[in-house]
Amino acid sequence: MAVYYGSALSAVLLLSLLIFALCDDATPSTPVSPSTACNDTTDPTFCRTVLPPHGTSDLYTYGRFSVAKSLASANKFVGLVDHYLSRHRHLSRSAIGALQDCKLLSELNVDFLSATGTALKGTETLLDPQADDVQTLLSAILTNQETCLDGLQAASGSWSDRGGGLAEPISNGTKLYSLSLSLFTRAWVTTAKAPKGAKKPHHGHKKPPTAPTNVRRGLFDAKDEEMVRRMAIEGPQGTVAVNRAVTVHQGGSGNYTTVGDAVAAAPTNLNGSAGYYVIYVLAGVYEENVEVPKKMKYVMMIGDGIGQTVITGNRSVVDGWTTFHSATVAVHGQGFVAMNMTIRNTAGPAKHQAVALRSSADLSTFYSCSFEAYQDTLYTHSLRQFYRGCEVHGTVDYVFGNAAVVFQDCTFYSRLPMQGQSNTVTAQGRTNPEQNTGTSIQGCTLLPSPELAANAAFDTRTFLGRPWKNYSRTVVMESYIGGLVDATGWMPWSGDFALDTLYYAEYNNSGPGADTGRRVSWPGYHVLGDGADAGNFTVDSMVLGGNWLPQTGVPFTSGLKY
């Protein structure tokens, strides 16, 4: 039935629909007008310009419609970026780098929106983990869009305006992607969550897949094969399934002499049930920048230990790289696992942003690894990630990004920064309140590095974090906080930016820096006294780890530790 907004009768009908939609008995399948469907979205005015203006439908149909519009917009943006890159002779190196990042990120958005459209086609029921999968993809699309804009604005000195003429298309795309996320959460996520006040279901430990009978295992010798079997140490998961295994040794005794060559030889689009492509990197210092592309899925990289197997690079923003592309190791392929190695960026504090590891890989896992740099050491960029028993060394914003990420039993070492700088452990980048992203630090230790501890006279303040974006979300719980952390705990980004929209929390911490009596009084800061609230930031709740971590062989704690 068409709704004519100019008549008194239609106003009554619209009001009736609104009341009906808001009542307890209303469901996402209840037909409502487009205007009513837009009421509870993050931008109702924009929403009404997107949805068809006449007729009624349900939230599922509106959600699918917005995803289709988003996919068309993403495809159009890829073409626009290609157009700019075709004129690269007139652009600076920094502008070209930013555009190349945008091209990669926008192509990922096309993939993610295509997968979302397929998942939502013809269904009104999505339960975890499927609903979490889609919300994760839609959250990552917004993150990719923001990263593209950040890079373009950083290179704006060589452009006619901030973003070089792409700022408006990016802004419009962001609004459209936000609408898709908003309609999705209203239609599908409500059916995936437990009733209000109830605990989320415990997903438990799924038995890992066993290796198929045709799996090739001939490239490890007996000792190395035993090493693979020991990867489940401390964990109940059992042997990790291996699809193929290769070795990297600088001296030439392995299958490859560089890590990059071993990655390039990986099979494409493996799935978890087929086992991992295992790259055993023997001890040595590998001076190279390594990228694991999106088609290289379920790659497992194992070294001989922290400080023994080292991958090192020195890219930085000062030297002309984008922050996104400065990473020594960058990972996109789903299901990536790294163990027993150091990833380092040696650019130094004077070179500012210089990333050691960037993970944009869903279901990525890092166990007993060390990440070493100064500013922006570890870029937990997007999607779902888990870190266990790792070390992170840095100064300014040295864990940053907008993934849904949990750190367990890790140690964060704040290093000696440049004169006048403060250390900030985290800078979380959530831009939308409906993104299922955030940084959870559980059962970890926060300490000064030896050089910082040895320079007690050096006036360095260290903070748990500061809000990089509007809805920054970080929780520190069940951790040991050393005396290096300032009594206020958290540092503002600029003035009162995001202080009432962020979500920062602490729960059941210990150590000389854990006293919350003098913490900031921001509206968005919380001291959690209830384990039920803290439980929202555990492995099971934050990343649904029980569904995918067991097959990695990496130990993990599902819920709260105490």
Side-chain angles (χ1 to χ4, degrees), residues 35-315:
S35 182
T36 299
C38 289
N39 281 337
D40 288 333
T41 61
T42 51
D43 190 343
T45 301
F46 176 77
C47 175
R48 293 185 183 102
T49 69
V50 174
L51 297 188
H54 303 300
T56 62
S57 195
D58 57 36
L59 288 181
Y60 298 115
T61 302
Y62 291 135
R64 295 187 193 100
F65 179 84
S66 69
V67 168
K69 294 277 284 186
S70 292
L71 178 57
S73 174
N75 273 308
K76 184 177 180 180
F77 188 72
V78 171
L80 187 58
V81 173
D82 280 337
H83 171 70
Y84 273 84
L85 280 171
S86 69
R87 300 159 53 196
H88 66 273
R89 286 176 297 175
H90 307 290
L91 299 173
S92 68
R93 175 186 169 186
S94 61
I96 294 170
L99 283 168
Q100 289 171 338
D101 290 348
C102 286
K103 179 175 171 62
L104 170 62
L105 293 162
S106 56
E107 288 174 343
L108 287 171
N109 283 353
V110 169
D111 292 345
F112 294 168
L113 285 162
S114 297
T116 296
T118 300
L120 301 185
K121 186 177 181 180
T123 182
E124 296 180 357
T125 304
L126 285 179
L127 298 177
D128 283 339
Q130 290 86 2
D132 193 68
D133 290 345
V134 174
Q135 190 175 6
T136 296
L137 292 178
L138 291 172
S139 297
I141 290 164
L142 286 170
T143 301
N144 290 343
Q145 197 81 341
E146 187 76 8
T147 303
C148 170
L149 180 61
D150 285 345
L152 291 173
Q153 290 180 341
S156 63
S158 61
W159 294 66
S160 58
D161 60 74
R162 289 175 63 82
L166 291 173
E168 184 175 352
I170 291 172
S171 176
N172 291 337
T174 297
K175 290 179 182 179
L176 193 52
Y177 304 154
S178 295
L179 175 60
S180 293
L181 176 59
S182 194
L183 290 172
F184 171 77
T185 57
R186 277 149 185 76
W188 282 274
V189 173
T190 53
T191 63
K193 303 302 181 185
K196 188 175 181 179
K199 292 184 178 179
K200 291 188 72 173
H202 177 80
H203 300 282
H205 296 286
K206 295 171 67 177
K207 185 178 179 181
T210 55
T213 56
N214 62 345
V215 162
R216 292 180 289 160
R217 292 179 176 271
L219 293 178
F220 278 120
D221 62 23
K223 180 180 178 181
D224 296 328
E225 191 68 40
E226 177 63 24
M227 178 273 298
V228 173
R229 286 196 290 272
R230 290 202 308 270
M231 288 191 295
I233 188 170
E234 297 183 45
Q237 293 84 358
T239 304
V240 172
V242 177
N243 180 278
R244 182 186 171 199
V246 298
T247 57
V248 179
H249 183 242
Q250 290 174 316
S253 63
N255 302 102
Y256 302 97
T257 57
T258 70
V259 179
D261 285 346
V263 170
T268 59
N269 296 315
L270 279 178
N271 59 54
S273 62
Y276 288 93
Y277 173 73
V278 177
I279 303 172
Y280 174 35
V281 187
L282 280 75
V285 177
Y286 296 82
E287 296 183 5
E288 54 181 308
N289 290 86
V290 178
E291 182 169 352
V292 181
K294 64 182 180 180
K295 65 181 180 180
M296 306 302 194
K297 299 179 180 180
Y298 292 93
V299 171
M300 179 176 284
M301 197 176 292
I302 306 167
D304 275 331
I306 291 175
Q308 300 301 307
T309 296
V310 180
I311 305 175
T312 183
N314 61 2
R315 293 177 178 174

Side-chain angles (χ1 to χ4, degrees), residues 308-325:
Q308 300 301 307
T309 296
V310 180
I311 305 175
T312 183
N314 61 2
R315 293 177 178 174
S316 71
V317 167
V318 169
D319 287 337
W321 299 93
T322 62
T323 301
F324 185 81
H325 216 68

Side-chain angles (χ1 to χ4, degrees), residues 354-377:
V355 175
L357 170 76
R358 170 176 50 80
S359 178
S360 307
D362 198 21
L363 313 180
S364 53
T365 308
F366 302 86
Y367 179 49
S368 191
C369 292
S370 178
F371 312 101
E372 301 175 5
Y374 288 85
Q375 182 172 345
D376 290 2
T377 300

